[in-house]
Amino acid sequence: MTAPARSMLLAVAAAAFLVNTAAAHPGSGIVADRQGQIYFVDTGAGVWKIDVHGVLTQLPGPRFHWMTIDPDNRFAKTPMPSGPGWEIARVGANPTLFVASDFPIAIDGDGDLVYPAPTEKEGVQIRRMTPAGTTSVLARLTVRWVNGLAAGPDGSLYFTEDRTIKRIDKQGRVVTVVAGVTVDGCVSIPGNEAEVGPYLRGFDVDKDGTIFVAAAGCGSVLKITADGKVTTLFQTAAPWSPTAVVHVGGDLYALEYLHTATEDRRAWRPRVRKISPDGKSAIIAIVDRS
């Protein structure tokens, strides 16, 4: 195969990966800094911040899908990786935010940037980049796409698929945490394909290995213990549905979107819900397109 043909094949493989993961769905990125400020992506407008007083402010940034946070600004001067049809961009400083156009990203327990990348022959590589810009391959996955990434408390990395959550240890070995997840009373969410089921997306892992995950295909937020027990913490009313969560000081913050069966990004309107340990919840911010 000629070099141009190989390049074309790689570009096609990347495009197929990106279409499956990002093109027809709203954003899935919400993080918190050490002061308790919340940041989230808006595929219709860019990036937003909720300060400790509940004030919502828009930050300069692209209209990308995923987000992670570099609290120590270790990557403040590191060139960001990119590839055929995808990009990772830096937003702000103190802390530094990273947003990704087409796949989930995370900062792992060692403070390295981790992201999936499609390849010509090896499926999806999970790559790790140090602040010095050195890149290595942590694992090679035989999956069509990855819905979410999150760092675990023991230095491992977790990722979500439609009905499954798996863990990658520091040696690159992949094990299944939970598979075949179902949600009782799953509601139909506009724009989500029925075959993906709960469509597990953005999530967070606390210090004891408990997973909090957005089941975007069922309008639900789930709690999954380290031994695989699944509990529904909250269920929204369609057409709203959560796409990502972050766990902060015992409280859970869920990024929710108004889902519509369209690819008009401005029609996907985001809001943020706070869920307390006692199960009470309240909307704390909503983006007003007017």
Side-chain angles (χ1 to χ4, degrees):
M1 182 181 293
T2 65
R6 282 195 298 271
S7 297
M8 180 62 71
L9 181 58
L10 177 56
V12 170
F17 176 81
L18 303 179
V19 166
N20 279 322
T21 55
H25 298 91
S28 179
I30 184 168
V31 298
D33 65 19
R34 290 177 176 141
Q35 286 71 49
Q37 299 183 113
I38 307 297
Y39 306 82
F40 62 94
V41 294
D42 176 0
T43 39
V47 178
W48 296 86
K49 178 180 77 172
I50 308 169
D51 70 15
V52 294
H53 303 293
V55 176
L56 181 66
T57 305
Q58 187 172 8
L59 304 180
R63 299 184 303 162
F64 284 176
H65 283 77
W66 281 269
M67 171 184 283
T68 192
I69 187 169
D70 174 22
D72 298 315
N73 301 295
R74 300 178 71 221
F75 288 85
K77 297 182 179 180
T78 309
M80 290 291 98
S82 63
W86 61 266
E87 178 185 356
I88 299 174
R90 196 172 9 240
V91 174
N94 298 314
T96 301
L97 304 172
F98 295 121
V99 290
S101 60
D102 293 279
F103 46 63
I105 53 178
I107 297 292
D108 69 11
D110 294 326
D112 295 334
L113 177 64
V114 184
Y115 59 96
T119 66
E120 180 179 344
K121 295 181 179 179
E122 297 183 331
V124 177
Q125 290 183 350
I126 300 297
R127 297 178 183 173
R128 175 194 288 138
M129 189 177 78
T130 69
T134 303
T135 302
S136 59
V137 177
L138 173 62
R140 294 171 173 85
L141 308 179
T142 56
V143 299
R144 292 178 60 199
W145 59 78
V146 174
N147 293 348
L149 282 176
D154 58 354
S156 60
L157 187 74
Y158 290 70
F159 67 92
T160 55
E161 300 175 54
D162 294 340
R163 305 171 187 268
T164 302
I165 299 178
K166 295 181 181 179
R167 180 172 58 85
I168 307 171
D169 68 18
K170 299 188 74 171
Q171 288 71 46
R173 294 173 297 214
V174 181
V175 298
T176 298
V177 177
V178 62
V181 173
T182 60
V183 177
D184 291 339
C186 181
V187 296
S188 176
I189 303 297
N192 282 331
E193 302 84 1
E195 61 268 21
V196 302
Y199 188 32
L200 305 179
R201 293 193 70 191
F203 67 114
D204 202 359
V205 186
D206 74 7
K207 60 184 179 181
D208 65 1
T210 298
I211 298 167
F212 301 90
V213 60
C218 292
S220 302
V221 174
L222 308 180
K223 175 182 176 180
I224 303 176
T225 60
D227 60 1
K229 181 182 178 181
V230 181
T231 304
T232 299
L233 294 181
F234 185 84
Q235 189 170 55
T236 60
W240 289 93
S241 184
T243 62
V245 298
V246 63
H247 197 237
V248 184
D251 294 317
L252 196 64
Y253 295 85
L255 172 61
E256 300 177 353
Y257 269 89
L258 179 66
H259 278 244
T260 58
T262 177
E263 293 192 24
D264 177 5
R265 292 188 175 198
R266 290 189 61 80
W268 300 332
R269 188 157 53 100
R271 67 187 185 187
V272 175
R273 179 185 301 275
K274 179 180 178 180
I275 305 172
S276 302
D278 60 5
K280 296 180 180 178
S281 74
I283 302 298
I284 63 169
I286 184 166
V287 172
D288 183 356
R289 292 284 188 239
S290 64

